[in-house]
Amino acid sequence: MNQASPRTDHPADSREIERAVLDFARNEPELGQAAVAERLRVAGMQISASGVRYLWQKHGLETAVKRLQALAGNDGGGIDALTENQRRLLERGELTARLARGEPEGSSNADHSADSTSELLDRRQMILTAAAELFSEQGYDRSSIRDIARRVGLLPGSVYHYFPSKDELYLEIHREGFKRVLDRAQAAAKEGIDPWDRLRRACEVHVSGIVEGSPVDRITGHSLSFSGNKDLLAKIQPYRESYEDVFRSLIKSLPLAPGTDRSLLRLFLFGGMNWIYLWYREGGRTPKDIADAMVDMLRRGVQA
């Protein structure tokens, strides 16, 4: 089967686009082909997701595992050159590759006595990550269990072994995502020296999760994939409420002008933070800078 060549509007720029695609493979190996194509589109480089995949295949980098392996090998520091999230992703990907080859779940070249229960949990986490990526890239309604299974190299029946339905998979992403960000926000707030500083630190965690976090973190923050299904929204709401309770408490502690509607202030702040995913571009302000500026505008106002 012949590979399709990259689809670009400016063929003369093909070398520049190829370099940019390879830069993403080195600098952000976890990103999928659709995400890279979108980043390049924003930068003014027109290439399809299949075009990104073609270029990755050309250089033997078509999977996240291969890109991570190349990064570890080229850096000289081996696996220690990877971040903690990258190491976990690489380990999960190598597990999937062994399973696809028909090797027993407990087998490993590094440690044949690895706990199979741990590997089962890894595979479950791998499915969650892949589902979050797809829900963000193409929406909940347009993502199928078959799509998710294909991304992690499993049969659809294997996905159903862990999650009885797509709805349950979507809900579990939010359960885990809200737990992660809740724990991080609470820990960050405790480091604050006063009520405003505690709110600022919690907002930094929230914004960073949306623009820099894992696929599970990002989809929890802005629910990009939400389909309008009211039943799903109702099931997610208790987890969202638990997380928002952290901010209710932080805002309740703020020294505010008499008559200030603290509930409206909280919703205003969340609305501003949750929409960052629409306009955020790398190379400008950092997530921390954005969160700090938002809190500072709330605290001091903007009138001259």
Side-chain angles (χ1 to χ4, degrees):
M1 183 176 182
N2 294 329
Q3 295 289 346
S5 60
R7 187 180 74 235
T8 68
D9 292 340
H10 305 286
D13 297 334
S14 60
R15 291 184 180 179
E16 180 184 0
I17 291 174
E18 183 167 355
R19 285 195 296 270
V21 169
L22 294 178
D23 282 343
F24 272 107
R26 285 188 292 269
N27 299 327
E28 298 186 73
E30 306 98 320
L31 287 180
Q33 61 198 45
V36 170
E38 175 61 18
R39 297 277 189 95
L40 293 176
R41 183 193 66 76
V42 171
M45 300 183 186
Q46 299 300 319
I47 183 170
S48 65
S50 61
V52 172
R53 181 171 177 79
Y54 166 82
L55 292 174
W56 280 342
Q57 287 177 322
K58 176 181 175 182
H59 294 273
L61 300 169
E62 64 272 18
T63 67
V65 170
K66 289 184 177 181
R67 295 191 291 277
L68 289 166
Q69 288 172 334
L71 178 62
N74 293 337
D75 187 89
I79 197 168
D80 290 335
L82 305 179
T83 66
E84 182 180 350
N85 285 338
Q86 288 173 339
R87 287 196 295 272
R88 287 201 298 264
L89 180 60
L90 178 57
E91 290 167 0
R92 292 195 298 267
E94 289 176 338
L95 169 62
T96 297
R98 294 199 303 274
L99 293 169
R101 292 193 299 266
E103 297 177 14
E105 281 194 58
S107 66
S108 168
N109 292 332
D111 183 5
H112 288 279
S113 62
D115 187 350
S116 61
T117 300
S118 176
E119 293 197 352
L120 286 171
L121 292 174
D122 283 345
R123 196 200 290 191
R124 184 178 184 277
Q125 185 61 52
M126 185 170 55
I127 293 170
L128 282 176
T129 299
E133 288 175 343
L134 283 169
F135 291 158
S136 291
E137 291 169 11
Q138 59 192 38
Y140 174 81
D141 292 328
R142 289 186 293 171
S143 301
S144 68
I145 291 293
R146 185 175 297 278
D147 294 332
I148 296 165
R150 185 182 300 115
R151 176 158 295 198
V152 295
L154 298 172
L155 294 173
S158 297
V159 176
Y160 283 118
H161 175 73
Y162 294 91
F163 303 97
S165 67
K166 189 174 72 167
D167 283 5
E168 182 57 34
L169 181 50
Y170 185 83
L171 292 172
E172 184 59 28
I173 288 171
H174 283 77
R175 290 188 194 105
E176 180 166 324
F178 278 120
K179 183 181 185 305
R180 289 184 194 176
V181 72
L182 187 151
D183 291 344
R184 290 197 297 265
Q186 287 179 321
K190 288 179 181 178
E191 299 295 324
I193 58 176
D194 59 50
W196 282 105
D197 189 42
R198 287 191 283 274
L199 177 64
R200 176 183 62 81
R201 290 170 182 265
C203 288
E204 289 174 1
V205 167
H206 187 87
V207 174
S208 295
I210 288 176
V211 300
E212 294 181 335
S214 71
V216 172
D217 295 328
R218 294 196 298 272
I219 200 172
T220 299
H222 54 66
S223 291
L224 176 61
S225 72
F226 191 65
S227 65
N229 185 313
K230 293 183 178 180
D231 290 337
L232 272 180
L233 178 59
K235 292 176 181 177
I236 290 169
Q237 195 60 31
Y239 307 107
R240 186 180 298 277
E241 286 292 325
S242 294
Y243 177 58
E244 291 194 17
D245 280 344
V246 174
F247 284 83
R248 286 189 181 92
S249 177
L250 292 171
I251 290 175
K252 183 179 180 181
S253 300
L254 295 176
L256 300 177
T260 299
D261 188 329
R262 294 175 188 261
S263 178
L264 186 58
L265 181 64
R266 173 179 54 83
L267 295 172
F268 175 74
L269 180 58
F270 264 120
M273 292 192 295
N274 289 347
W275 276 76
I276 287 174
Y277 80 93
L278 283 178
W279 53 260
Y280 177 80
R281 298 292 180 269
E282 292 181 356
R285 288 187 173 190
T286 66
K288 180 180 182 300
D289 291 339
I290 293 169
D292 291 353
M294 284 183 164
V295 173
D296 193 57
M297 284 189 286
L298 281 180
R299 182 178 186 180
R300 306 184 189 286
V302 295
Q303 182 175 334

